[in-house]
Amino acid sequence: MTDSDPIGVATLMTSTRSATIAAMINDSEKPTVELLRKLTLAAGPPGAEDSVRALVREALDGVQGIEIDRDRLGSVIATRQGSSERPRVLLDAHLDEVGFMVQSIDSEGNLGFVPLGGWWAHVLLAQRVDVITERGPVPGVIGAKPPHFLSPEERQHVMKIESMHIDVGATSDDEARGFGVEVGDPIVPHAEFIHMANPRVLSSKAFDDRAGVGLLVETLQRLPEIEHPNTVIGVGAVQEEVGCRGAGTAAAMAKPDVGIILEGTPADDQPGFPSATRQACLGEGPQIRFADPSAISNRALVRLVRDVAVMEKIPIQLAVRRSGGTDAKSVHVHDRGVPTVVIGVPARSIHTNVSLIHLDDFLAARKLILALIARLDERTVESLCA
């Protein structure tokens, strides 16, 4: 017991929770959980993906046969040749997360900001953020009027993002600048990484697309353990959330024959979605996406993924989406065209501080990707466009 916890309740709860987590997360899975913790908590909004890129390079350093490069936008490119130079199999996961950028600093030290990527104003007010300055992160809070000061009319409307501000605790522009804050500084949601009551459900920011980045890293780490009749090019792409930009420049370097896009895809197992139409439920396996407004997957490749999943006894969820998009937008139209498919880990509440994934979906997706790579020889890839 401590003075702050005189009856030991917090200590007992922490001990019980730790035991529950230990019982449900086995030793072989703990490195995966730790990788996801590091990746999600790293700051990496569009154009400022340095910390995430560094984690990817660190994780792949020394992996047998992997050569690491980057393009001029900042995408990291890791190549490993198997038993054949071709086909060239692209694995793409984007490094960036939705964030913001400081647009202005007013005389009272409040920050004006612009969104980088798709935000819904409802999820922003009163949330904590980190302003990434040259001196290090500065904590801030997205400003919100207390309900005491809201007029009846204001209560009926969602405040527009351009009407919000970030409070860094300053009382003047000089004080805010004294903290190191400058116009143009990137901003990310502040989050913690936690196990939910079911410890196999993980919550943090940026599972879109750090779940995909985790799949990219762990797939590449395991390539030396399997026979793969191809060359695999793993791309950690930048600036997906603002237009799939890095995937385009990286594809120009990778010159892929086939593309596999790894995503943290929006889950729809939530109120408001009829159960019969749900196509991304936590705990029911990775999502294989046929289409969204940005790309239509190669049908033969989708069938191949489905067949591999059946052979490997991996649960999957097939999806056709009315909205959203992925790096497939840039990859599938590269050069003469690239047969492409999207494999996603369902994530609830993406583009917020508190998204959730199920560890079993991540592990199933990793198994599926490795099994698929092992089958992508030159004849198979040529047949996709026959």
Side-chain angles (χ1 to χ4, degrees), residues 115-168:
L116 299 176
W119 283 99
W120 188 39
H122 256 137
V123 305
L124 290 180
L125 285 175
Q127 293 290 348
R128 297 186 187 278
V129 296
D130 292 315
V131 184
I132 310 304
T133 78
E134 291 188 3
R135 301 185 199 172
V138 172
V141 176
I142 297 181
K145 275 187 186 180
H148 316 66
F149 300 150
L150 293 174
S151 69
E153 183 180 358
E154 286 177 315
R155 293 169 185 263
Q156 302 303 314
H157 300 284
V158 178
M159 184 181 291
K160 295 180 180 180
I161 292 177
E162 53 266 31
S163 298
M164 299 178 188
H165 67 276
I166 292 174
D167 186 342
V168 293

Side-chain angles (χ1 to χ4, degrees), residues 293-352:
S294 71
I296 299 174
S297 294
N298 177 280
R299 295 184 64 80
L301 182 54
V302 172
R303 287 195 296 270
L304 176 62
V305 175
R306 183 188 58 198
D307 292 346
V308 169
V310 170
M311 286 186 285
E312 298 290 333
K313 298 180 180 179
I314 300 169
I316 61 171
Q317 304 178 75
L318 298 176
V320 174
R321 291 313 208 192
R322 295 179 183 273
S323 60
T326 73
D327 273 343
K329 173 183 177 180
S330 296
V331 171
H332 83 291
V333 294
H334 170 70
D335 197 20
R336 296 181 299 163
V338 179
T340 302
V341 69
V342 179
I343 299 177
V345 177
R348 290 182 189 151
S349 300
I350 67 169
H351 291 206
T352 73

Side-chain angles (χ1 to χ4, degrees), residues 20-360:
T20 303
I21 292 170
M24 293 191 69
I25 307 294
N26 64 50
D27 288 344
S28 66
E29 296 167 340
K30 289 177 181 177
T32 294
V33 173
E34 177 60 14
L35 174 65
L36 290 171
R37 185 190 71 81
K38 288 180 178 179
L39 288 171
T40 57
L41 295 183
E49 300 93 345
D50 311 64
S51 296
V52 189
R53 180 171 52 247
L55 287 172
V56 171
R57 294 184 71 108
E58 178 186 354
L60 297 178
D61 184 44
V63 176
Q64 178 189 344
I66 285 186
E67 298 179 0
I68 299 179
D69 200 355
R70 60 176 290 178
D71 68 13
R72 291 178 180 174
L73 280 189
S75 298
V76 61
I77 302 170
T79 303
R80 187 181 195 277
Q81 182 176 322
S83 59
S84 176
E85 291 185 8
R86 304 199 82 91
R88 296 176 63 81
V89 179
L90 174 69
L91 300 180
D92 171 284
H94 65 90
L95 302 177
D96 60 316
E97 63 190 285
V98 289
F100 313 95
M101 182 178 289
V102 177
Q103 185 184 37
S104 62
I105 307 173
D106 72 16
S107 61
E108 295 180 313
N110 296 307
L111 311 185
F113 63 96
V114 296
L116 299 176
W119 283 99
W120 188 39
H122 256 137
V123 305
L124 290 180
L125 285 175
Q127 293 290 348
R128 297 186 187 278
V129 296
D130 292 315
V131 184
I132 310 304
T133 78
E134 291 188 3
R135 301 185 199 172
V138 172
V141 176
I142 297 181
K145 275 187 186 180
H148 316 66
F149 300 150
L150 293 174
S151 69
E153 183 180 358
E154 286 177 315
R155 293 169 185 263
Q156 302 303 314
H157 300 284
V158 178
M159 184 181 291
K160 295 180 180 180
I161 292 177
E162 53 266 31
S163 298
M164 299 178 188
H165 67 276
I166 292 174
D167 186 342
V168 293
T171 56
S172 68
D173 55 346
D174 286 343
E175 187 175 13
R177 293 180 191 278
F179 298 156
V181 178
E182 297 289 349
V183 170
D185 283 342
I187 307 164
V188 293
H190 181 83
E192 59 177 327
F193 182 96
I194 66 169
H195 295 263
M196 301 297 284
N198 174 354
R200 300 190 72 77
V201 178
L202 311 174
S203 178
S204 188
K205 71 173 179 65
F207 276 123
D208 174 17
D209 183 31
R210 306 295 159 68
V213 176
L215 288 174
L216 176 71
V217 167
E218 293 209 332
T219 298
L220 293 171
Q221 288 174 332
R222 285 162 174 74
L223 282 184
E225 303 169 9
I226 69 170
E227 290 288 332
H228 60 102
N230 44 49
T231 294
V232 175
I233 307 98
V235 169
V238 297
Q239 298 190 39
E240 188 266 2
E241 297 290 359
V242 290
C244 304
R245 299 169 185 174
T249 55
M253 291 183 64
K255 298 179 173 58
D257 298 307
V258 62
I260 305 169
I261 310 303
L262 311 178
E263 263 290 358
T265 191
D268 53 16
D269 55 344
Q270 300 180 78
F273 292 89
S275 57
T277 65
R278 293 176 179 178
Q279 299 179 334
C281 302
L282 264 63
E284 296 187 13
Q287 180 195 82
I288 313 303
R289 188 176 295 192
F290 266 106
D292 62 40
S294 71
I296 299 174
S297 294
N298 177 280
R299 295 184 64 80
L301 182 54
V302 172
R303 287 195 296 270
L304 176 62
V305 175
R306 183 188 58 198
D307 292 346
V308 169
V310 170
M311 286 186 285
E312 298 290 333
K313 298 180 180 179
I314 300 169
I316 61 171
Q317 304 178 75
L318 298 176
V320 174
R321 291 313 208 192
R322 295 179 183 273
S323 60
T326 73
D327 273 343
K329 173 183 177 180
S330 296
V331 171
H332 83 291
V333 294
H334 170 70
D335 197 20
R336 296 181 299 163
V338 179
T340 302
V341 69
V342 179
I343 299 177
V345 177
R348 290 182 189 151
S349 300
I350 67 169
H351 291 206
T352 73
N353 297 50
V354 291
S355 53
L356 295 88
I357 68 166
H358 199 297
L359 182 58
D360 290 354

